[in-house]
Amino acid sequence: MGKIVHVSSAERVLTAALLVIVACATSVIVSALLTRDADAYADGHRRVTAQVVRVLRTPVAAARSAPLPATVVEVVWTGRDGRSHTGRTVTTSGHQAGDRLALWVDAGEEPAPGPSPTAVVVVVALLAGPAAAGGLWTAGHLVRSGRRAWTARRAVAGWEGEWRTITARGR
């Protein structure tokens, strides 16, 4: 029969060290990319103070004491060219016509989502490392399992061939 191979503790430590290095490197790279994108956001966007022209979709729960957290509103603001621009955006509920709110617009003077909050950048960077390490570990585990299955299949095929040879001679 085939011999049973056990993973030594040194191999486990080496695997764990490799996974920690992959996790840390991935977190650093993702953090750097997200930080660079957040820093560059102001290059193509700017923050303006807009005035609500009208509320387009009132939350269903507006009549109750606990309104829904978002409402679609039409807003107007002054662009870089000095002209008035109009657009639609989603904002917290409770705004009425005439209210002012801060809004991010892109280079084409269209409403845009704001930059990623710092907490989101940190959480995504921290989760990216373990996710990459887990994916690498899973891939390695699948490769090892596939290799074992392939080896076992070859062994069984060899045994079946030998059995056919032995039974053919015995007749």
Side-chain angles (χ1 to χ4, degrees), residues 151-167:
T151 303
R153 182 175 175 166
R154 286 189 57 211
V156 168
W159 294 333
E160 286 177 354
E162 288 177 17
W163 183 251
R164 273 189 238 115
T165 304
I166 291 170
T167 56

PDB file of all heavy atoms in Angstrom, residues 151-167:
ATOM      1  N   THR A 151      -3.065  10.731  -7.721  1.00  0.00           N
ATOM      2  CA  THR A 151      -2.156   9.647  -7.356  1.00  0.00           C
ATOM      3  C   THR A 151      -2.933   8.390  -6.992  1.00  0.00           C
ATOM      4  O   THR A 151      -2.576   7.289  -7.410  1.00  0.00           O
ATOM      5  CB  THR A 151      -1.254  10.072  -6.175  1.00  0.00           C
ATOM      6  OG1 THR A 151      -0.549  11.251  -6.545  1.00  0.00           O
ATOM      7  CG2 THR A 151      -0.270   8.989  -5.798  1.00  0.00           C
ATOM      8  N   ALA A 152      -4.003   8.539  -6.229  1.00  0.00           N
ATOM      9  CA  ALA A 152      -4.815   7.388  -5.843  1.00  0.00           C
ATOM     10  C   ALA A 152      -5.463   6.758  -7.070  1.00  0.00           C
ATOM     11  O   ALA A 152      -5.518   5.523  -7.190  1.00  0.00           O
ATOM     12  CB  ALA A 152      -5.889   7.811  -4.839  1.00  0.00           C
ATOM     13  N   ARG A 153      -5.906   7.565  -7.988  1.00  0.00           N
ATOM     14  CA  ARG A 153      -6.534   7.025  -9.200  1.00  0.00           C
ATOM     15  C   ARG A 153      -5.522   6.238 -10.015  1.00  0.00           C
ATOM     16  O   ARG A 153      -5.835   5.174 -10.560  1.00  0.00           O
ATOM     17  CB  ARG A 153      -7.127   8.166 -10.019  1.00  0.00           C
ATOM     18  CG  ARG A 153      -7.834   7.673 -11.242  1.00  0.00           C
ATOM     19  CD  ARG A 153      -8.512   8.773 -11.979  1.00  0.00           C
ATOM     20  NE  ARG A 153      -9.057   8.218 -13.200  1.00  0.00           N
ATOM     21  CZ  ARG A 153      -9.924   8.823 -13.941  1.00  0.00           C
ATOM     22  NH1 ARG A 153     -10.382   9.987 -13.588  1.00  0.00           N
ATOM     23  NH2 ARG A 153     -10.355   8.270 -15.042  1.00  0.00           N
ATOM     24  N   ARG A 154      -4.306   6.758 -10.133  1.00  0.00           N
ATOM     25  CA  ARG A 154      -3.261   6.032 -10.860  1.00  0.00           C
ATOM     26  C   ARG A 154      -2.935   4.718 -10.177  1.00  0.00           C
ATOM     27  O   ARG A 154      -2.726   3.688 -10.832  1.00  0.00           O
ATOM     28  CB  ARG A 154      -2.005   6.893 -10.968  1.00  0.00           C
ATOM     29  CG  ARG A 154      -2.167   8.013 -11.979  1.00  0.00           C
ATOM     30  CD  ARG A 154      -0.880   8.741 -12.260  1.00  0.00           C
ATOM     31  NE  ARG A 154       0.144   7.813 -12.713  1.00  0.00           N
ATOM     32  CZ  ARG A 154       1.436   7.966 -12.482  1.00  0.00           C
ATOM     33  NH1 ARG A 154       1.858   8.986 -11.770  1.00  0.00           N
ATOM     34  NH2 ARG A 154       2.311   7.106 -12.940  1.00  0.00           N
ATOM     35  N   ALA A 155      -2.886   4.726  -8.832  1.00  0.00           N
ATOM     36  CA  ALA A 155      -2.589   3.493  -8.093  1.00  0.00           C
ATOM     37  C   ALA A 155      -3.687   2.463  -8.305  1.00  0.00           C
ATOM     38  O   ALA A 155      -3.405   1.281  -8.555  1.00  0.00           O
ATOM     39  CB  ALA A 155      -2.419   3.800  -6.606  1.00  0.00           C
ATOM     40  N   VAL A 156      -4.930   2.876  -8.213  1.00  0.00           N
ATOM     41  CA  VAL A 156      -6.053   1.957  -8.411  1.00  0.00           C
ATOM     42  C   VAL A 156      -6.048   1.421  -9.837  1.00  0.00           C
ATOM     43  O   VAL A 156      -6.284   0.220 -10.062  1.00  0.00           O
ATOM     44  CB  VAL A 156      -7.396   2.647  -8.079  1.00  0.00           C
ATOM     45  CG1 VAL A 156      -8.578   1.823  -8.544  1.00  0.00           C
ATOM     46  CG2 VAL A 156      -7.483   2.923  -6.592  1.00  0.00           C
ATOM     47  N   ALA A 157      -5.768   2.276 -10.819  1.00  0.00           N
ATOM     48  CA  ALA A 157      -5.715   1.817 -12.210  1.00  0.00           C
ATOM     49  C   ALA A 157      -4.613   0.774 -12.382  1.00  0.00           C
ATOM     50  O   ALA A 157      -4.789  -0.222 -13.092  1.00  0.00           O
ATOM     51  CB  ALA A 157      -5.491   2.998 -13.147  1.00  0.00           C
ATOM     52  N   GLY A 158      -3.467   0.993 -11.728  1.00  0.00           N
ATOM     53  CA  GLY A 158      -2.379   0.017 -11.787  1.00  0.00           C
ATOM     54  C   GLY A 158      -2.777  -1.305 -11.158  1.00  0.00           C
ATOM     55  O   GLY A 158      -2.495  -2.381 -11.702  1.00  0.00           O
ATOM     56  N   TRP A 159      -3.423  -1.237 -10.016  1.00  0.00           N
ATOM     57  CA  TRP A 159      -3.871  -2.462  -9.338  1.00  0.00           C
ATOM     58  C   TRP A 159      -4.893  -3.209 -10.183  1.00  0.00           C
ATOM     59  O   TRP A 159      -4.868  -4.429 -10.274  1.00  0.00           O
ATOM     60  CB  TRP A 159      -4.477  -2.147  -7.979  1.00  0.00           C
ATOM     61  CG  TRP A 159      -3.497  -1.592  -6.981  1.00  0.00           C
ATOM     62  CD1 TRP A 159      -2.157  -1.802  -6.951  1.00  0.00           C
ATOM     63  CD2 TRP A 159      -3.801  -0.754  -5.889  1.00  0.00           C
ATOM     64  NE1 TRP A 159      -1.582  -1.141  -5.909  1.00  0.00           N
ATOM     65  CE2 TRP A 159      -2.582  -0.473  -5.222  1.00  0.00           C
ATOM     66  CE3 TRP A 159      -4.967  -0.182  -5.397  1.00  0.00           C
ATOM     67  CZ2 TRP A 159      -2.503   0.317  -4.098  1.00  0.00           C
ATOM     68  CZ3 TRP A 159      -4.887   0.604  -4.269  1.00  0.00           C
ATOM     69  CH2 TRP A 159      -3.671   0.857  -3.628  1.00  0.00           C
ATOM     70  N   GLU A 160      -5.808  -2.459 -10.801  1.00  0.00           N
ATOM     71  CA  GLU A 160      -6.807  -3.109 -11.646  1.00  0.00           C
ATOM     72  C   GLU A 160      -6.152  -3.776 -12.843  1.00  0.00           C
ATOM     73  O   GLU A 160      -6.540  -4.873 -13.256  1.00  0.00           O
ATOM     74  CB  GLU A 160      -7.854  -2.086 -12.106  1.00  0.00           C
ATOM     75  CG  GLU A 160      -8.813  -1.678 -11.011  1.00  0.00           C
ATOM     76  CD  GLU A 160      -9.796  -0.620 -11.465  1.00  0.00           C
ATOM     77  OE1 GLU A 160      -9.672  -0.108 -12.604  1.00  0.00           O
ATOM     78  OE2 GLU A 160     -10.693  -0.291 -10.671  1.00  0.00           O
ATOM     79  N   GLY A 161      -5.143  -3.135 -13.414  1.00  0.00           N
ATOM     80  CA  GLY A 161      -4.404  -3.739 -14.530  1.00  0.00           C
ATOM     81  C   GLY A 161      -3.702  -5.023 -14.099  1.00  0.00           C
ATOM     82  O   GLY A 161      -3.737  -6.032 -14.812  1.00  0.00           O
ATOM     83  N   GLU A 162      -3.070  -4.971 -12.933  1.00  0.00           N
ATOM     84  CA  GLU A 162      -2.415  -6.176 -12.409  1.00  0.00           C
ATOM     85  C   GLU A 162      -3.450  -7.266 -12.141  1.00  0.00           C
ATOM     86  O   GLU A 162      -3.209  -8.451 -12.416  1.00  0.00           O
ATOM     87  CB  GLU A 162      -1.656  -5.846 -11.126  1.00  0.00           C
ATOM     88  CG  GLU A 162      -0.407  -5.027 -11.338  1.00  0.00           C
ATOM     89  CD  GLU A 162       0.273  -4.656 -10.028  1.00  0.00           C
ATOM     90  OE1 GLU A 162      -0.021  -5.276  -8.991  1.00  0.00           O
ATOM     91  OE2 GLU A 162       1.098  -3.733 -10.056  1.00  0.00           O
ATOM     92  N   TRP A 163      -4.595  -6.902 -11.597  1.00  0.00           N
ATOM     93  CA  TRP A 163      -5.629  -7.888 -11.298  1.00  0.00           C
ATOM     94  C   TRP A 163      -6.140  -8.549 -12.584  1.00  0.00           C
ATOM     95  O   TRP A 163      -6.343  -9.756 -12.629  1.00  0.00           O
ATOM     96  CB  TRP A 163      -6.770  -7.219 -10.543  1.00  0.00           C
ATOM     97  CG  TRP A 163      -7.832  -8.188 -10.134  1.00  0.00           C
ATOM     98  CD1 TRP A 163      -9.075  -8.294 -10.644  1.00  0.00           C
ATOM     99  CD2 TRP A 163      -7.725  -9.203  -9.146  1.00  0.00           C
ATOM    100  NE1 TRP A 163      -9.763  -9.302 -10.039  1.00  0.00           N
ATOM    101  CE2 TRP A 163      -8.936  -9.885  -9.099  1.00  0.00           C
ATOM    102  CE3 TRP A 163      -6.703  -9.605  -8.280  1.00  0.00           C
ATOM    103  CZ2 TRP A 163      -9.199 -10.945  -8.240  1.00  0.00           C
ATOM    104  CZ3 TRP A 163      -6.951 -10.651  -7.429  1.00  0.00           C
ATOM    105  CH2 TRP A 163      -8.179 -11.306  -7.416  1.00  0.00           C
ATOM    106  N   ARG A 164      -6.321  -7.731 -13.622  1.00  0.00           N
ATOM    107  CA  ARG A 164      -6.759  -8.297 -14.903  1.00  0.00           C
ATOM    108  C   ARG A 164      -5.721  -9.279 -15.446  1.00  0.00           C
ATOM    109  O   ARG A 164      -6.075 -10.329 -15.970  1.00  0.00           O
ATOM    110  CB  ARG A 164      -7.007  -7.167 -15.913  1.00  0.00           C
ATOM    111  CG  ARG A 164      -8.394  -6.612 -15.830  1.00  0.00           C
ATOM    112  CD  ARG A 164      -8.691  -5.662 -16.984  1.00  0.00           C
ATOM    113  NE  ARG A 164      -9.035  -4.395 -16.359  1.00  0.00           N
ATOM    114  CZ  ARG A 164      -8.362  -3.274 -16.456  1.00  0.00           C
ATOM    115  NH1 ARG A 164      -7.306  -3.202 -17.199  1.00  0.00           N
ATOM    116  NH2 ARG A 164      -8.747  -2.184 -15.830  1.00  0.00           N
ATOM    117  N   THR A 165      -4.442  -8.939 -15.306  1.00  0.00           N
ATOM    118  CA  THR A 165      -3.374  -9.816 -15.765  1.00  0.00           C
ATOM    119  C   THR A 165      -3.380 -11.119 -14.981  1.00  0.00           C
ATOM    120  O   THR A 165      -3.262 -12.218 -15.566  1.00  0.00           O
ATOM    121  CB  THR A 165      -2.006  -9.116 -15.634  1.00  0.00           C
ATOM    122  OG1 THR A 165      -2.045  -7.904 -16.343  1.00  0.00           O
ATOM    123  CG2 THR A 165      -0.893  -9.996 -16.161  1.00  0.00           C
ATOM    124  N   ILE A 166      -3.520 -11.035 -13.672  1.00  0.00           N
ATOM    125  CA  ILE A 166      -3.521 -12.228 -12.822  1.00  0.00           C
ATOM    126  C   ILE A 166      -4.736 -13.093 -13.118  1.00  0.00           C
ATOM    127  O   ILE A 166      -4.626 -14.322 -13.256  1.00  0.00           O
ATOM    128  CB  ILE A 166      -3.495 -11.825 -11.328  1.00  0.00           C
ATOM    129  CG1 ILE A 166      -2.159 -11.208 -10.974  1.00  0.00           C
ATOM    130  CG2 ILE A 166      -3.796 -13.016 -10.428  1.00  0.00           C
ATOM    131  CD1 ILE A 166      -2.101 -10.570  -9.614  1.00  0.00           C
ATOM    132  N   THR A 167      -5.904 -12.509 -13.247  1.00  0.00           N
ATOM    133  CA  THR A 167      -7.113 -13.299 -13.496  1.00  0.00           C
ATOM    134  C   THR A 167      -7.094 -13.893 -14.908  1.00  0.00           C
ATOM    135  O   THR A 167      -7.627 -14.983 -15.115  1.00  0.00           O
ATOM    136  CB  THR A 167      -8.379 -12.455 -13.303  1.00  0.00           C
ATOM    137  OG1 THR A 167      -8.341 -11.307 -14.127  1.00  0.00           O
ATOM    138  CG2 THR A 167      -8.560 -12.081 -11.852  1.00  0.00           C
TER     139      THR A 167
END
